[in-house]
Amino acid sequence: MSWVFKMAWRDSRSNRKKLFLYLAAIIVGVAAQVAISSFRENLNDSINEQSKELLGADLEVEKNDPFHEELEIYLDSLGGERSDALSFTSMAFFPKSGTTRLSQITALEGDFPYYGELKTEPQSAAKTFQNTSGALVDEPILLQFGLQPGDSVKIGLVTYEIAGALQEIPGQPVAASFFGPRIYIPKTNIEATGLLQRGSQLEYITYIKYPDGTDPILVEQTLDIMNDSVRFGYDDVAERKEEVGEAILYLSNFLNLIGFIALLLGGIGVASSIFVYVRQKISTVAVLRCVGASSNQAMNIFLIQAVFMGFIGSALGALIGSLIQLYLPVLVQDFVPVDIELTISWSSILIGIVTGVSISLIFALFPLLAVRKISPLFTLRSVDINLSKLLNWITRFSLFGLIAVSVIGYAWYMLGNFLAALFFTLGLTFCLALLAGIAFLIMKGAKKLNPKALGYEFRQGLANLYRPNNQTSTLLLTFGLGVTLISSLYLTQDMLLGTINFDNGEDLPNLALYDIQYDQNDGVNKIILDNGMELRQNVPIVTMRLQSINDTTVAEFMADSSRKPRRWALNREYRSTYRDSLISTENIESGTFIGIVENFETLVPISVSTDLMQDLNAQVGDTIVWDVQGIPISSYISSTRAVNWQTPQPNFFVVFPTGVLESAPQFFATTLNTPSREASLDLQQKIVQAYPNVSAIDIGQVLETVRDFIDKITFVIQFIGLFSIITGLIVLAGSAATSRFQRIREAVLLRTLGAKKNQVIKIQVIEYVFLGVMAALTGLTLSVGASALLGYFYFDIDFVPNFTILAIESLILIALVLIIGLLNTRGVHTRPPLEILRDQAA
Amino acid sequence: MNHILKLNKLNRQFKSGDKILTVVNNISFEMEEGISCAIVGPSGSGKTTLLGLSAGLDQPTSGEVVLNNINLNPLTEDQRAEVRNKHVGFVFQTFQLVPTLTAVENVMVPLELRGEASNKVRERALELLNEVGLGERSHHYPTQLSGGEQQRVAVARAFINNPKILFADEPTGNLDSETGEHIENLIFDLNRKEGTTLVLVTHDLELAEKCDRVIKLKNGEVDSDVFKSEEVTA
């Protein structure tokens, strides 16, 4: 065995440069793996260490109404410390900058958080704001509006001094502020803001810190029982930790699989480089066999080299991965609710190295087993043999089986779900089989259809696609798969953004005003009209609750465990409107829409959205009694409407006809189209100053925020996906480099025979452009398929491919393939042919 | 006299499309230990195939090869490799050095494969390289040596395991006449000195004349088998 090691070492001396590209493929693959799994481990450790800070308390109870007495009594009986908060959205007005912003307000009373701390600047503000009637305002909004502690913010009717900039809230990721800045104010005298009136969506929250000796499981069981009769939400530390842990696990599993694809591409690169490498070694193996080396000894020389290179590549990859890991928190810190503490994860490094070496070994087995079959007779006769044909079908089948089992095994370990791992492997196999099939067809097609009528350069370039040492299969497989992956990410991102892209197509409103009280409606409308803008909609909203359906009361439904209507649909507070006609976002699905009634002593005909019909398990003609703020109104379902909810107009589950609710207590929502962003901000400021309780949703700004949010998430995914593209490029470069000598010989021969520089370049350009076009087309077509499937099965969106993205991607990919191809024969055109041949032979 | 090589009714056929091509047809002969024998014949007469079969590099379609009293037929490829390593040396027309090994390392391979102590093997390899006149170039790679020098390294490698029999396939075919002659002398000298049996395939009748026995092949059969002292017609 020692001779085999010695021989492996000696043989590798002059080949190390050639093997570098093989190394590079493994380096990138392992780096992706190690970076992601180290990061996951650090994240998990951080979650475990900061588990109590995820909630800031031992228990959080929340409800949309004031707590029921029974619940209050129980919470009081727990003892310990308690903080109460009231949370709602409202417009905040910043007088210094003259700006307004819909914000998430939390009115707090008590010492929450009990674990972790509110991080503020100055830090003392977190402790003092409740006593000094100050406000803590999200730091980014202060920076955006050029504000500082000491300036003021007006919420409702009350102006607060900004006591500090809010930097961190325990358990809340920075992303929580994407949809509106967070502002903390004292709960005392909250009524003075005038925001607690009817129509406001309030959330009552209580935080509890248990006294010593409290059994959290017992508390959970008691709340569980209580929750059956009194509806409320609650979370304790264990539950929150589990929720956060699960979310992180899904994210990191997903990223890990994307990274694993990079490693698999690296594996294909390894197989391809070792194939070419071993092909160059056939005569060496034949000589060694001649002088007495056994088939195993011959194979082991290259096996040792493959494993050693795999180890070096994996170790370097692990090192780079550990460094990249330092960058990952910057990418995802906004989305995770804990401070990520970075340490070196030795277990991730070990797993990365083992995976890298295993992948190198498993993929190298194909060419290496063929080495055993190289006959010593090849010393006497130079034979052009196809290594892969030296293996019989049982060996090939076993090797494919081994790869499949390894991939399933790894994916299973990664996902913790066998079926998901199986589908992942099947999907991957399908993609690879399709790519391999297309590569085969291209080679066959190029051979059969090579048109004689075309010029020499074209025919020669096309012939390069199918002759020995061609790069068609390798390139299609590795690059195609990388392209499929990255392009799917882009297209899916585009598909998701497309669903919220309101500003294409019809002229939709870009500003929505909510919570306009009955007596404020005319005033608000006047401000809008005085500013030269038109009202698009001015919709009355009446709050109501369900009392009974077909004479069965909600309480009776709730008591029945086999009930069909869903709990949320029975219990929720409905915000309904009344009007005499349909609007553009709705269509009648069944029944007849009745817009006007004159007498509501009889049953009132209402129109219900189709999704609510399902959740209520209702039919057209069913009768419903509504509790409209104490007054029962009997109705029947006269029609059902399909509603397009993905538009900025106010849409409703239930629409009443005119003539019924006009005198009920109500408030209004108004939509309008502002000519510019400045006009919109100006109008919001005027309305909020006059009517502080009115909330404005600036749809342009919401869109921007959502885009920002999706961009940030997709960047993280694309960052990991980039590893696949890099591996694809490395494998492509490797595959090009391994055929460099042959290409150069041909180029030199052509030059010797009188070919001009341009002709030689043209042949290469034709070959690589063709390869690039085919790889791009195949990869992109697969990605369109994958995105359409994702859209159909996962997001429930009809996918329409964005051809601009596809065209840009195609051009970039073709250019990349061409550049790598041309770099491969660099230097051939400027130096004398003999000099190049001597260099290469050495 | 002992026979180092016995061929008995040796046949080798190849499939070429639908046809069966008989390259070696019913050849039998015995080779005495220590002699030199040339196998000659026109291109395509089966010389190299016969050499390959005799050295255990290939399996006959039928017939028997006995090398140093070992019947090669029932042996596996690895067992035949062991026989080659212990008893056989090779010199090829295209030198067949391992391009990634230095001259001395190339010469060392057969003994290293046996697991012999590295220092002794290196000493012996350097000794042989000195004998072929390449002592100064032992650390050069094949690409840094001329054709003649590469063949000298190959000759040194062929003799390092003290083979009972040396097979040479057109050993001077790729060399100019002066260098070729030098290699011929080297092989014959070492052959005499080590008492090795020499079997060489050649087109070069002058070279064949230097051997104790000349077997001439034609269409895969022995056309003539001439010893220096007598002539036997097959």
Side-chain angles (χ1 to χ4, degrees):
Chain A
M1 198 63 191
S2 66
W3 174 79
V4 174
F5 276 102
K6 214 184 284 177
M7 191 62 203
W9 168 253
R10 286 173 184 163
D11 184 68
S12 73
R13 283 176 309 203
S14 55
N15 291 308
R16 285 172 202 157
K17 271 189 204 162
K18 284 183 191 166
L19 286 170
F20 175 75
L21 280 163
Y22 149 47
L23 267 187
I26 287 293
I27 290 173
V28 178
V30 171
Q33 285 286 286
V34 170
I36 297 162
S37 53
S38 298
F39 174 67
R40 166 156 79 171
E41 197 171 298
N42 280 328
L43 200 52
N44 279 339
D45 287 349
S46 302
I47 289 171
N48 283 333
E49 278 165 24
Q50 300 165 40
S51 60
K52 288 200 165 180
E53 292 167 32
L54 286 173
L55 200 60
D58 291 315
L59 177 69
E60 177 192 297
V61 184
E62 59 189 36
K63 196 171 187 316
N64 287 336
D65 312 303
F67 289 178
H68 194 268
E69 198 185 340
E70 189 188 346
L71 179 60
E72 280 288 0
I73 293 170
Y74 179 70
L75 293 179
D76 280 346
S77 75
L78 286 172
E81 292 181 56
R82 170 172 173 163
S83 297
D84 291 307
L86 204 53
S87 172
F88 53 93
T89 54
S90 169
M91 296 303 280
F93 172 61
F94 301 94
K96 184 181 170 193
S97 57
T99 47
T100 54
R101 182 60 67 87
L102 188 63
S103 306
Q104 306 174 53
I105 315 287
T106 302
L108 180 67
E109 181 176 45
D111 294 333
F112 175 84
Y114 300 109
Y115 305 106
E117 55 181 5
L118 288 174
K119 281 197 183 147
T120 56
E121 179 57 42
Q123 186 52 51
S124 58
K127 301 274 176 223
T128 57
F129 80 99
Q130 291 187 47
N131 303 327
T132 58
S133 285
L136 304 176
V137 181
D138 247 336
E139 194 168 45
I141 201 80
L142 294 183
L143 294 173
Q144 188 187 340
F145 292 155
L147 302 169
Q148 284 166 345
D151 294 333
S152 55
V153 54
K154 189 176 176 198
I155 293 159
L157 301 171
V158 180
T159 302
Y160 297 88
E161 183 186 329
I162 299 174
L166 194 50
Q167 292 168 325
E168 237 179 84
I169 300 168
Q172 281 194 25
V174 174
S177 69
F178 276 8
F179 296 96
R182 299 163 299 181
I183 298 178
Y184 272 59
I185 53 174
K187 188 163 174 274
T188 43
N189 85 335
I190 183 70
E191 288 78 10
T193 58
L195 296 173
L196 308 188
Q197 51 205 306
R198 195 174 43 234
S200 307
Q201 290 267 25
L202 297 174
E203 193 170 17
Y204 294 79
I205 308 169
T206 291
Y207 300 100
I208 306 250
K209 183 188 179 194
Y210 296 146
D212 289 344
T214 306
D215 179 1
I217 295 169
L218 195 67
V219 175
E220 197 203 331
Q221 285 168 348
T222 314
L223 288 173
D224 224 13
I225 295 164
M226 205 179 285
N227 195 22
D228 282 340
S229 52
V230 188
R231 203 62 198 143
F232 56 89
Y234 65 93
D235 238 353
D236 62 8
V237 172
E239 203 171 325
R240 178 65 63 94
K241 192 174 133 190
E242 201 177 303
E243 287 163 9
V244 173
E246 264 177 23
I248 301 283
L249 194 69
Y250 286 136
L251 175 73
S252 59
N253 279 345
F254 177 63
L255 294 179
N256 235 334
L257 277 185
I258 297 178
F260 185 52
I261 289 175
L263 196 56
L264 285 179
L265 286 177
I268 296 171
V270 166
S272 136
S273 348
I274 302 253
F275 248 110
V276 181
Y277 180 67
V278 167
R279 196 158 49 203
Q280 292 163 350
K281 297 286 176 184
I282 289 173
S283 62
T284 298
V285 173
V287 171
L288 293 175
R289 300 284 283 127
C290 224
V291 297
S294 70
S295 49
N296 279 339
Q297 281 176 315
M299 180 186 76
N300 287 340
I301 293 168
F302 304 106
L303 183 72
I304 288 167
Q305 288 182 351
V307 171
F308 188 72
M309 296 303 271
F311 176 75
I312 298 275
S314 305
L316 280 173
L319 178 73
I320 294 171
S322 298
L323 293 176
I324 291 173
Q325 187 223 160
L326 301 176
Y327 177 62
L328 283 179
V330 182
L331 294 181
V332 299
Q333 183 71 68
D334 284 358
F335 303 104
V336 294
V338 289
D339 289 329
I340 306 161
E341 284 160 22
L342 294 173
T343 52
I344 289 180
S345 163
W346 294 108
S347 62
S348 301
I349 287 175
L350 184 71
I351 290 171
I353 291 176
V354 169
T355 316
V357 172
S358 309
I359 289 273
S360 311
L361 182 63
I362 291 170
F363 278 86
L365 276 180
F366 268 96
L368 292 183
L369 285 175
V371 166
R372 299 182 81 247
K373 305 284 178 188
I374 292 174
S375 162
L377 202 59
F378 295 157
T379 45
L380 296 177
R381 303 196 183 278
S382 61
V383 209
D384 188 18
I385 52 159
N386 184 340
L387 274 178
S388 55
K389 285 194 178 147
L390 290 178
L391 297 176
N392 61 30
W393 70 270
I394 299 177
T395 315
R396 286 192 220 180
F397 186 77
S398 312
L399 282 174
F400 279 122
L402 179 67
I403 292 177
V405 167
S406 312
V407 173
I408 294 175
Y410 189 82
W412 189 5
Y413 162 73
M414 214 41 82
L415 297 171
N417 179 338
F418 177 73
L419 215 58
L422 190 66
F423 279 113
F424 168 77
T425 312
L426 284 177
L428 203 63
T429 312
F430 172 75
C431 278
L432 288 174
L434 206 65
L435 287 163
I438 288 167
F440 178 76
L441 287 179
I442 290 171
M443 288 191 274
K444 283 275 169 201
K447 200 169 183 175
K448 274 207 160 177
L449 302 173
N450 204 344
K452 294 195 169 49
L454 290 169
Y456 168 76
E457 294 90 346
F458 194 90
R459 280 184 285 125
Q460 186 72 14
L462 217 55
N464 283 351
L465 296 173
Y466 56 81
R467 63 185 183 167
N469 290 336
N470 69 66
Q471 294 157 48
T472 312
S473 299
T474 317
L475 189 124
L476 260 286
L477 279 181
T478 52
F479 213 57
L481 195 61
V483 168
T484 306
L485 195 73
I486 298 288
S487 174
S488 301
L489 291 174
Y490 268 107
L491 290 174
T492 309
Q493 177 191 11
D494 182 65
M495 168 167 71
L496 292 176
L497 285 175
T499 60
I500 50 139
N501 200 0
F502 306 141
D503 49 20
N504 56 2
E506 56 179 311
D507 186 23
L508 294 167
N510 58 14
L511 185 65
L513 303 169
Y514 285 90
D515 295 343
I516 305 167
Q517 299 302 304
Y518 188 77
D519 54 355
Q520 297 172 331
N521 195 34
D522 291 341
V524 171
N525 290 350
K526 189 170 181 303
I527 297 176
I528 295 169
L529 296 171
D530 286 351
N531 279 273
M533 293 172 219
E534 280 177 30
L535 295 172
R536 297 293 298 267
Q537 282 177 293
N538 185 217
V539 188
I541 297 170
V542 179
T543 56
M544 57 186 70
R545 283 182 180 278
L546 259 177
Q547 196 167 306
S548 66
I549 305 174
N550 294 336
D551 296 331
T552 307
T553 64
V554 169
E556 284 164 355
F557 273 121
M558 294 303 292
D560 178 6
S561 58
S562 64
R563 75 187 136 74
K564 296 260 172 63
R566 296 182 62 180
R567 178 194 278 262
W568 78 268
L570 293 169
N571 278 334
R572 81 188 302 272
E573 182 185 72
Y574 283 86
R575 297 178 153 220
S576 307
T577 191
Y578 55 90
R579 51 179 142 82
D580 58 6
S581 55
L582 295 171
I583 59 169
S584 63
T585 54
E586 43 190 26
N587 290 306
I588 291 295
E589 286 260 308
S590 59
T592 314
F593 181 80
I594 299 169
I596 306 169
V597 290
E598 287 175 3
N599 178 7
F600 63 90
E601 300 298 319
T602 56
L603 287 178
V604 175
I606 57 168
S607 182
V608 178
S609 75
T610 45
D611 32 12
L612 181 67
M613 288 294 282
Q614 276 177 14
D615 287 346
L616 285 176
N617 191 36
Q619 313 286 331
V620 171
D622 283 356
T623 57
I624 297 178
V625 178
W626 300 95
D627 171 3
V628 182
Q629 293 157 60
I631 303 198
I633 290 187
S634 300
S635 65
Y636 74 98
I637 302 172
S638 75
S639 66
T640 63
R641 287 164 306 126
V643 179
N644 177 12
W645 299 99
Q646 288 158 348
T647 56
Q649 290 102 324
N651 286 301
F652 296 89
F653 283 123
V654 181
V655 175
F656 277 70
T658 56
V660 182
L661 298 175
E662 277 77 353
S663 52
Q666 56 195 272
F667 55 96
F668 288 83
T670 296
T671 61
L672 65 149
N673 215 337
T674 58
S676 66
R677 195 68 201 279
E678 290 70 32
S680 172
L681 291 174
D682 184 51
L683 183 74
Q684 287 176 51
Q685 188 186 334
K686 284 178 179 153
I687 289 173
V688 171
Q689 274 182 297
Y691 306 104
N693 63 296
V694 174
S695 294
I697 298 179
D698 185 332
I699 290 149
Q701 191 195 319
V702 169
L703 276 183
E704 216 167 85
T705 315
V706 172
R707 250 188 221 120
D708 265 6
F709 186 76
I710 293 184
D711 277 354
K712 278 199 172 190
I713 293 179
T714 44
F715 180 72
V716 177
I717 296 169
Q718 280 165 358
F719 178 79
I720 304 300
L722 193 67
F723 283 92
S724 295
I725 277 284
I726 295 175
T727 318
L729 286 174
I730 289 171
V731 172
L732 171 62
S735 139
T738 43
S739 65
R740 177 173 158 83
F741 184 49
Q742 185 190 319
R743 295 294 153 109
I744 285 177
R745 280 185 75 96
E746 283 164 6
V748 167
L749 188 61
L750 288 173
R751 293 298 304 275
T752 314
L753 293 173
K756 290 181 188 132
K757 179 179 161 186
N758 280 349
Q759 286 178 301
V760 177
I761 293 179
K762 211 166 157 187
I763 291 171
Q764 285 162 349
V765 168
I766 287 164
E767 179 191 357
Y768 285 107
V769 164
F770 199 82
L771 277 176
V773 168
M774 294 317 291
L777 279 185
T778 318
L780 294 180
T781 309
L782 275 176
S783 73
V784 168
S787 306
L789 287 176
L790 266 179
Y792 184 78
F793 287 110
Y794 198 74
F795 297 114
D796 203 13
I797 299 171
D798 284 335
F799 170 67
V800 182
N802 183 332
F803 288 102
T804 317
I805 292 187
L806 290 174
I808 294 171
E809 283 179 342
S810 303
L811 288 177
I812 294 175
L813 295 171
I814 294 166
L816 276 175
V817 174
L818 185 59
I819 289 168
I820 289 179
L822 290 181
L823 279 177
N824 195 31
T825 45
R826 66 196 178 277
V828 173
H829 312 296
T830 48
R831 293 163 61 201
L834 201 60
E835 191 186 320
I836 297 161
L837 282 180
R838 276 204 180 121
D839 270 7
Q840 291 301 317
Chain B
M1 200 174 204
N2 277 336
H3 291 119
I4 184 78
L5 179 68
K6 288 182 202 167
L7 305 185
N8 187 18
K9 294 180 183 169
L10 208 59
N11 273 290
R12 182 65 170 106
Q13 296 174 328
F14 292 99
K15 227 179 156 186
S16 171
D18 295 337
K19 288 182 183 170
I20 302 282
L21 215 66
T22 303
V23 181
V24 169
N25 190 7
N26 201 28
I27 290 182
S28 302
F29 62 73
E30 292 169 339
M31 185 88 63
E32 297 80 7
E33 205 172 334
I35 70 156
S36 57
C37 173
I39 299 174
V40 296
S43 294
S45 58
K47 304 182 297 289
T48 303
T49 308
L50 184 62
L51 181 98
L53 289 168
S54 306
L57 299 179
D58 193 10
Q59 283 274 58
T61 312
S62 66
E64 204 176 55
V65 179
V66 179
L67 187 82
N68 198 27
N69 294 321
I70 302 164
N71 186 350
L72 299 185
N73 286 38
L75 302 187
T76 63
E77 179 50 55
D78 280 349
Q79 287 167 329
R80 288 204 301 273
E82 203 179 326
V83 171
R84 288 195 296 270
N85 181 254
K86 280 185 181 158
H87 308 298
V88 180
F90 288 97
V91 178
F92 303 96
Q93 180 179 0
T94 48
F95 325 135
Q96 297 288 14
L97 298 179
V98 178
T100 49
L101 301 184
T102 60
V104 69
E105 286 167 352
N106 261 292
V107 178
M108 288 161 69
V109 169
L111 286 193
E112 283 188 321
L113 270 169
R114 291 185 191 175
E116 290 192 10
S118 189
N119 287 345
K120 281 190 178 170
V121 174
R122 185 172 286 272
E123 253 172 52
R124 168 87 178 121
L126 288 170
E127 206 176 283
L128 276 168
L129 280 176
N130 273 326
E131 274 189 56
V132 300
L134 287 176
E136 300 295 311
R137 313 205 55 184
S138 62
H139 292 291
H140 287 212
Y141 285 96
T143 48
Q144 296 167 318
L145 301 172
S146 70
E149 288 168 334
Q150 287 190 46
Q151 194 62 308
R152 278 191 272 164
V153 176
V155 170
R157 179 179 68 188
F159 281 96
I160 196 168
N161 57 344
N162 295 319
K164 292 265 185 192
I165 185 164
L166 175 75
F167 291 97
D169 180 29
E170 299 277 12
T172 58
N174 272 0
L175 305 171
D176 62 76
S177 56
E178 200 180 322
T179 317
E181 207 177 316
H182 185 66
I183 295 292
E184 280 166 29
N185 293 336
L186 206 59
I187 292 174
F188 281 105
D189 285 351
L190 281 166
N191 181 34
R192 268 189 295 275
K193 195 174 145 194
E194 309 282 337
T196 309
T197 307
L198 173 65
V199 179
L200 60 87
V201 162
T202 182
H203 274 111
D204 182 350
L205 292 177
E206 265 183 53
L207 173 61
E209 286 295 308
K210 292 179 184 171
C211 295
D212 302 322
R213 181 180 178 183
V214 179
I215 298 173
K216 188 176 177 190
L217 297 188
K218 196 175 175 185
N219 296 328
E221 295 176 359
V222 176
D223 188 44
S224 66
D225 186 352
V226 180
F227 289 80
K228 253 190 177 170
S229 51
E230 54 174 321
E231 182 170 325
V232 180
T233 305

